[in-house]
Amino acid sequence: MIYVKNKPELVRVKHIARALEMKQQRSLAALARSLGMTPRTLQRYLNMRGASSSQIFDEIRCDLALSLLRETRFSVSAIAHRVGYTDISNFGRAFRRWTGVSPLQWRRLKRDP
């Protein structure tokens, strides 16, 4: 059994990860530091809950991309850059994995009744 002093709830971990995402600090080390833990301890803690820092940051990126596509007129390229992708093709692949459609298709579906 792994003992984690002052165990953060997974909701708190995600809340802090979201704040780090806004600063574009997407790393296990930054997340662990913000929680007052070592990266390895946080990694074990997340693994015990069936999660990982990369999954958490990926979920946050997805939520942010969906929000930007729905609520702004930013180009897909600008949104890809904002959520941390330097290559729009990689963003497109990730977005299709998240939603099953391309960013432009998703935007059209959500804007057209």
Side-chain angles (χ1 to χ4, degrees):
M1 184 81 171
I2 299 170
Y3 174 75
V4 179
K5 185 178 177 183
N6 300 324
K7 294 182 210 175
E9 294 295 322
L10 200 50
V11 172
R12 181 170 174 248
V13 173
K14 289 180 179 184
H15 178 75
I16 291 172
R18 190 170 304 279
L20 289 171
E21 171 63 35
M22 293 304 170
K23 297 177 188 175
Q24 297 189 358
Q25 296 176 356
R26 307 169 187 97
S27 72
L28 176 67
L31 184 55
R33 190 173 37 257
S34 295
L35 291 163
M37 307 168 94
T38 67
R40 182 65 187 129
T41 299
L42 177 58
Q43 189 175 36
R44 285 192 303 262
Y45 176 81
L46 292 173
N47 286 340
M48 287 173 32
R49 282 148 184 82
S52 71
S53 61
S54 61
Q55 288 172 330
I56 290 170
F57 282 115
D58 202 42
E59 181 182 312
I60 292 166
R61 287 170 135 182
C62 174
D63 291 346
L64 181 57
L66 294 174
S67 176
L68 290 170
L69 282 166
R70 183 178 40 252
E71 298 169 9
T72 72
R73 294 194 179 273
F74 294 155
S75 68
V76 171
S77 178
I79 291 170
H81 180 71
R82 171 58 190 93
V83 298
Y85 288 88
T86 55
D87 180 16
I88 193 168
S89 297
N90 289 337
F91 173 68
R93 278 190 290 280
F95 195 88
R96 277 188 281 290
R97 181 172 37 85
W98 298 331
T99 65
V101 296
S102 74
L104 284 176
Q105 289 171 322
W106 191 91
R107 180 177 261 173
R108 282 189 208 112
L109 289 170
K110 295 303 173 184
R111 285 202 173 159
D112 295 335

